[in-house]
Amino acid sequence: MISIKGLTKRFDQLEVLKGMNVEVEKGQVIVLIGPSGSGKTTFLRCLNALEIPNDGTVSIGGSTVDFNKKVTKQELISLRRKTGMVFQNYNLFPHMTALENVMEGPTVVQKRKKSEMREKAIKLLEKVGLGDKIDYYPFQLSGGQQQRVGIARALAIEPEVMLFDEPTSALDPELVGEVLKVMKDLAEEGMTMVVVTHEMRFAQEAADKVIFMDGGYIVEEGPPREVFENPKNERTKQFLNLIQ
Ligand code: ADP
């Protein structure tokens, strides 16, 4: 489903991703962990071309972009349609209701009919447990509810892969569980997911593979059990000691 080769990203002189290679099978859940500044967010943003890599190829669900070459707008659009992104701070439109937020992508970006989308958006909001809140504005919703709208909105474009960038780190502790539950349900339904998170329990329970990044490299990767209980690399051990 995802094949990343030699992914490199620089901001001016700073090389943030130093040639990453990642393969993800359909239905797998990948959890990315690592210290702050190690490049996790940049990696996610390169997957949907919110950041344009300097080098490497990104292939998602049959759309391949080779960043060594001149990239066309059409190639970027086609890549972006493969993924739905969930942001740390929800990124909802404040002047739109939950329903309007969920309908926005498909009707504006994909030019789908509003009437058609409305039904579907309601179903998505019901799926994330917000069927009774469709006409609420973001300010009328808790952080956990807003993030669940964020997930419904990302699902609305029918992505093949869902990308989550620290989806629970802005939430009060008592609201984290409801968002993780929606993510676990999605994983169980077979959604392919790449998740940046500090929620180690989620990683342990839902991930097929944990990738530990540091300094723009993949330092270690493997099933959660292996990486958490028997880390091989000294840097992984240090990081896990700090957060556990
Ligand atoms: P992480 O998600 O692991 O905390 P990031 O991907 O956010 O790491 O950041 C990796 C490095 O890239 C950091 O040193 C950060 O300051 C830098 N960086 C991220 N985005 C930008 C940007 N738009 N311009 C310049 N530097 C950036």
Side-chain angles (χ1 to χ4, degrees):
M1 179 61 82
I2 305 179
S3 175
I4 311 289
K5 296 201 171 75
L7 185 69
T8 302
K9 175 66 186 171
R10 284 183 295 275
F11 294 110
D12 299 322
Q13 303 302 315
L14 182 70
E15 194 167 49
V16 175
L17 301 178
K18 299 170 181 164
M20 287 184 61
N21 300 305
V22 179
E23 303 288 323
V24 183
E25 304 290 327
K26 187 172 164 56
Q28 278 192 327
V29 176
I30 307 299
V31 168
L32 270 177
I33 60 170
S36 179
S38 56
K40 304 180 298 295
T41 293
T42 305
F43 174 73
L44 273 195
R45 291 170 65 86
C46 283
L47 293 196
N48 68 353
L50 276 178
E51 297 289 355
I52 304 297
N54 295 93
D55 208 342
T57 54
V58 174
S59 179
I60 302 180
S63 267
T64 301
V65 182
D66 182 351
F67 291 97
N68 296 306
K69 299 187 185 145
K70 191 168 160 41
V71 177
T72 65
K73 215 173 165 188
Q74 202 46 50
E75 282 179 314
L76 290 182
I77 291 171
S78 145
L79 185 66
R80 282 189 183 126
R81 287 208 175 153
K82 300 288 178 183
T83 59
M85 180 100 161
V86 176
F87 300 89
Q88 183 175 353
N89 294 312
Y90 333 128
N91 282 15
L92 300 180
F93 294 110
H95 59 291
M96 290 185 186
T97 63
L99 185 65
E100 287 164 348
N101 265 284
V102 177
M103 287 171 62
E104 174 73 8
T107 45
V108 175
V109 183
Q110 295 183 333
K111 310 261 190 293
R112 300 258 291 269
K113 274 210 197 102
K114 262 202 169 162
S115 53
E116 225 177 80
M117 260 327 289
R118 194 183 148 83
E119 290 296 306
K120 200 173 141 212
I122 292 172
K123 285 213 177 78
L124 285 171
L125 284 165
E126 283 168 353
K127 184 185 169 79
V128 299
L130 294 173
D132 57 342
K133 298 277 190 293
I134 63 171
D135 293 324
Y136 282 48
Y137 287 89
F139 78 91
Q140 297 171 307
L141 298 170
S142 71
Q145 290 168 337
Q146 289 185 58
Q147 190 58 296
R148 286 186 280 146
V149 175
I151 294 173
R153 183 186 54 180
L155 288 170
I157 61 156
E158 297 178 355
E160 296 196 38
V161 174
M162 286 283 281
L163 308 174
F164 294 86
D165 189 8
E166 299 196 23
T168 59
S169 56
L171 295 175
D172 290 333
E174 74 273 21
L175 302 178
V176 168
E178 66 192 59
V179 172
L180 293 181
K181 163 91 175 51
V182 169
M183 291 168 63
K184 273 189 202 150
D185 289 348
L186 267 182
E188 270 163 30
E189 284 170 23
M191 177 60 81
T192 310
M193 297 168 41
V194 183
V195 185
V196 174
T197 185
H198 301 297
E199 294 292 334
M200 294 301 138
R201 254 191 74 189
F202 173 82
Q204 259 151 353
E205 290 169 9
D208 295 290
K209 183 158 76 175
V210 171
I211 295 180
F212 173 68
M213 273 183 78
D214 195 9
Y217 291 106
I218 294 176
V219 172
E220 185 160 352
E221 62 184 300
R225 221 160 215 253
E226 249 170 54
V227 175
F228 292 138
E229 287 169 25
N230 192 18
K232 293 182 180 56
N233 190 286
E234 212 41 54
R235 282 193 279 171
T236 320
K237 286 181 197 169
Q238 276 171 12
F239 176 74
L240 291 173
N241 278 337
L242 282 175
I243 60 161
Q244 277 168 348

Coordinates of all heavy atoms in Angstrom, one line a residue, residues 9-12 14-17 34-43 45 51 165-166 196 213, ligand 1:
K9 N 14.4 15.1 3.0 CA 13.8 16.4 3.1 C 14.8 17.4 3.8 O 15.3 17.1 4.9 CB 12.5 16.4 3.8 CG 11.8 17.7 4.1 CD 11.4 18.4 2.8 CE 10.8 19.8 3.1 NZ 10.6 20.5 1.8
R10 N 15.0 18.5 3.2 CA 15.8 19.6 3.8 C 15.0 20.8 4.0 O 14.2 21.2 3.2 CB 17.0 19.9 2.9 CG 18.1 18.9 2.9 CD 19.3 19.4 2.1 NE 19.0 19.5 0.6 CZ 19.0 18.5 -0.2 NH1 19.3 17.3 0.1 NH2 18.6 18.7 -1.5
F11 N 15.3 21.5 5.1 CA 14.8 22.9 5.3 C 16.1 23.8 5.3 O 16.8 23.7 6.2 CB 14.0 23.1 6.6 CG 12.7 22.3 6.6 CD1 12.6 21.2 7.5 CD2 11.6 22.7 5.8 CE1 11.3 20.6 7.5 CE2 10.4 22.1 5.9 CZ 10.3 21.0 6.7
D12 N 16.3 24.5 4.2 CA 17.6 25.2 4.0 C 18.7 24.2 4.2 O 18.8 23.2 3.5 CB 17.7 26.4 4.9 CG 16.6 27.4 4.6 OD1 16.3 27.6 3.5 OD2 16.1 28.0 5.6
L14 N 19.3 22.4 6.8 CA 19.0 21.4 7.8 C 18.4 20.2 7.1 O 17.3 20.2 6.6 CB 18.1 21.9 8.9 CG 17.7 21.0 10.0 CD1 18.8 20.7 10.9 CD2 16.5 21.6 10.8
E15 N 19.1 19.0 7.1 CA 18.5 17.8 6.6 C 17.7 17.1 7.6 O 18.3 16.6 8.6 CB 19.7 16.9 6.0 CG 19.1 15.8 5.1 CD 20.1 15.1 4.3 OE1 21.2 14.7 4.9 OE2 20.0 15.0 3.1
V16 N 16.4 17.1 7.4 CA 15.5 16.6 8.5 C 15.2 15.1 8.3 O 15.1 14.3 9.2 CB 14.2 17.4 8.5 CG1 13.2 16.8 9.5 CG2 14.5 18.8 8.9
L17 N 15.1 14.7 7.0 CA 14.9 13.2 6.7 C 16.1 12.8 5.8 O 16.3 13.5 4.8 CB 13.6 13.0 5.9 CG 12.3 13.4 6.7 CD1 11.1 13.2 5.8 CD2 12.2 12.7 8.0
G34 N 9.7 8.6 18.5 CA 11.0 9.1 18.5 C 11.0 10.5 19.2 O 10.0 11.1 19.4
P35 N 12.2 11.0 19.6 CA 12.3 12.2 20.3 C 11.8 13.4 19.5 O 11.7 13.3 18.2 CB 13.8 12.4 20.5 CG 14.5 11.3 20.0 CD 13.5 10.4 19.3
S36 N 11.4 14.5 20.1 CA 11.0 15.7 19.5 C 12.1 16.2 18.5 O 13.2 16.2 18.9 CB 10.7 16.7 20.6 OG 10.3 17.9 20.0
G37 N 11.7 16.6 17.3 CA 12.6 17.0 16.3 C 13.3 16.0 15.5 O 14.2 16.2 14.7
S38 N 12.9 14.7 15.7 CA 13.5 13.6 14.9 C 13.0 13.5 13.5 O 13.6 12.8 12.7 CB 13.4 12.3 15.7 OG 12.0 12.0 15.9
G39 N 11.9 14.2 13.2 CA 11.4 14.2 11.8 C 10.1 13.5 11.5 O 9.7 13.3 10.4
K40 N 9.4 13.1 12.6 CA 8.2 12.3 12.5 C 7.1 13.1 11.7 O 6.5 12.5 10.8 CB 7.7 11.9 13.9 CG 8.7 11.1 14.7 CD 8.2 10.8 16.1 CE 7.7 11.9 17.0 NZ 8.8 12.8 17.4
T41 N 6.9 14.3 12.2 CA 5.8 15.1 11.5 C 6.2 15.4 10.1 O 5.4 15.3 9.2 CB 5.6 16.4 12.3 OG1 5.1 16.1 13.5 CG2 4.7 17.4 11.5
T42 N 7.4 15.7 9.8 CA 7.9 16.0 8.5 C 7.7 14.8 7.6 O 7.3 14.9 6.4 CB 9.4 16.4 8.5 OG1 9.5 17.6 9.4 CG2 9.8 16.8 7.1
F43 N 8.0 13.6 8.1 CA 7.8 12.4 7.4 C 6.3 12.2 7.0 O 6.0 12.0 5.8 CB 8.3 11.2 8.2 CG 8.0 9.9 7.5 CD1 8.7 9.4 6.4 CD2 6.9 9.0 8.0 CE1 8.4 8.2 5.8 CE2 6.6 7.8 7.4 CZ 7.4 7.4 6.3
R45 N 4.1 14.5 6.7 CA 3.7 15.6 5.8 C 4.2 15.4 4.4 O 3.6 15.8 3.4 CB 4.1 17.0 6.3 CG 3.3 17.4 7.6 CD 3.9 18.6 8.2 NE 3.8 19.8 7.4 CZ 2.7 20.6 7.4 NH1 1.6 20.3 8.1 NH2 2.7 21.6 6.6
E51 N 4.5 18.7 2.6 CA 5.9 19.1 2.4 C 6.4 18.4 1.1 O 6.1 17.2 0.9 CB 6.8 18.7 3.5 CG 6.5 19.3 4.9 CD 6.8 20.8 5.0 OE1 7.3 21.4 4.0 OE2 6.4 21.4 6.0
D165 N -1.2 12.7 13.0 CA 0.0 13.4 13.6 C -0.3 13.8 15.1 O -1.0 14.8 15.3 CB 0.3 14.6 12.8 CG 1.6 15.3 13.2 OD1 2.3 14.7 14.0 OD2 1.9 16.4 12.7
E166 N 0.2 13.0 16.0 CA -0.1 13.2 17.4 C -1.5 13.6 17.7 O -1.8 14.7 18.3 CB 0.9 14.3 18.0 CG 2.3 13.8 17.8 CD 3.3 14.6 18.7 OE1 2.8 15.2 19.7 OE2 4.5 14.7 18.4
V196 N 1.7 8.9 14.3 CA 2.8 9.5 15.2 C 2.1 9.7 16.5 O 1.1 10.4 16.6 CB 3.3 10.8 14.6 CG1 4.3 11.5 15.7 CG2 4.0 10.6 13.3
M213 N 12.4 6.6 15.2 CA 13.2 7.5 14.4 C 14.0 8.4 15.3 O 13.6 8.8 16.4 CB 12.3 8.5 13.7 CG 11.8 8.0 12.4 SD 10.8 9.3 11.6 CE 12.1 10.4 11.0
Ligands
ADP1 P1 9.1 15.7 15.2 O1 7.8 15.5 14.6 O2 9.8 14.4 15.3 O3 9.1 16.4 16.5 P2 9.6 17.5 13.0 O4 9.4 16.8 11.7 O5 8.5 18.4 13.5 O6 10.0 16.5 14.2 O7 10.9 18.4 12.9 C1 12.1 17.9 12.5 C2 13.1 19.1 12.3 O8 12.7 19.9 11.2 C3 13.1 20.0 13.5 O9 14.5 20.4 13.7 C4 12.3 21.2 13.1 O10 12.7 22.4 13.7 C5 12.6 21.2 11.6 N1 11.4 21.8 10.8 C6 10.2 21.2 10.7 N2 9.4 22.0 9.9 C7 10.2 23.0 9.5 C8 9.9 24.1 8.6 N3 8.8 24.3 8.0 N4 11.0 25.0 8.4 C9 12.2 24.8 9.0 N5 12.5 23.8 9.8 C10 11.5 22.9 10.0

